[in-house]
Amino acid sequence: MDMTKDIIQIDVDPVIIKKMSFIGTIHKIFGVLAIIAGGLTCFGIITAIFGVPYIIAGIKLFKSGSSFSYAAYSNDGKFLREAIINLASFWLFNLIAMAATIVFYIFFIIILMIAVSANSSSYYY
């Protein structure tokens, strides 16, 4: 049984190193901002449903940024692999949080419509 791995080769030049370093820095900044935003969202009990996935997504994005930075400075492919894996996890948790937010807003609008219709039917003109 042949256990060879598929290999993707990338020519690493100064432009790629500079861009990977930039991506790493931006991912770290946005990761911290996502963690803060998720933490602020978690102040409410119900809003924690979509705040926690934002925190986890922020952590994954920060880890992705660190891995991109390490890959840029060390030219080691394992860090690039780790960066891509963490970036994929970031998008998964971001999708979960976004879906939870949409479901919450739809539920909120339905409750609001029921409350308005129940309140308006009690008046006789």
Side-chain angles (χ1 to χ4, degrees):
M1 178 182 233
D2 188 17
M3 300 297 276
T4 60
K5 295 182 182 181
D6 292 333
I7 296 174
I8 298 174
Q9 293 183 345
I10 299 173
D11 293 331
V12 179
D13 58 3
V15 173
I16 293 294
I17 291 173
K18 185 177 178 182
K19 297 299 181 182
M20 284 175 45
S21 180
F22 175 75
I23 290 170
T25 303
I26 293 299
H27 280 195
K28 287 188 253 183
I29 291 169
F30 276 90
V32 169
L33 293 175
I35 292 167
I36 292 170
L40 292 174
T41 306
C42 285
F43 279 138
I45 295 171
I46 295 174
T47 57
I49 293 170
F50 47 89
V52 172
Y54 277 126
I55 292 172
I56 296 170
I59 292 169
K60 295 293 185 179
L61 188 60
F62 186 85
K63 286 181 180 181
S64 174
S66 296
S67 296
F68 268 116
S69 295
Y70 291 144
Y73 293 121
S74 69
N75 291 333
D76 191 351
K78 73 176 182 176
F79 290 117
L80 186 59
R81 180 183 182 280
E82 185 178 322
I84 293 170
I85 289 170
N86 281 319
L87 187 58
S89 295
F90 160 75
W91 284 114
L92 175 66
F93 282 104
N94 205 13
L95 178 66
I96 291 168
M98 190 175 293
T101 303
I102 291 169
V103 168
F104 176 77
Y105 281 129
I106 290 171
F107 182 70
F108 178 74
I109 289 170
I110 290 171
I111 295 296
L112 187 64
M113 289 172 55
I114 290 171
V116 168
S117 66
N119 192 19
S120 66
S121 65
S122 64
Y123 294 108
Y124 297 102
Y125 293 105

